[in-house]
């Protein structure tokens, strides 16, 4: 899951897609949310 979340940040295709909706930080937020969720004990 973390690898997939990292892809949202590292692969410009994801960033380009989400930038079309007006939020350039959405992919970083998704990655942080996934990593935060997975680190819950």
């Amino acid at each position: 899951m973390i690898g997939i979340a990292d892809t949202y940040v590292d692969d410009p295709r994801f960033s380009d897609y989400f930038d079309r909706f007006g939020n350039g930080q959405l992919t970083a937020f998704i990655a942080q949310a996934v990593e935060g969720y997975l680190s819950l004990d």
Side-chain angles (χ1 to χ4, degrees):
M1 291 284 294
I2 289 177
I4 292 170
D6 288 342
T7 302
Y8 275 90
V9 176
D10 297 335
D11 190 331
R13 294 175 295 178
F14 287 101
S15 297
D16 292 344
Y17 175 78
F18 284 106
D19 285 348
R20 290 189 289 167
F21 299 104
N23 188 338
Q25 298 299 314
L26 184 57
T27 54
F29 172 78
I30 292 170
Q32 289 175 336
V34 169
E35 290 173 8
Y37 176 74
L38 293 175
S39 69
L40 294 176
D41 291 324

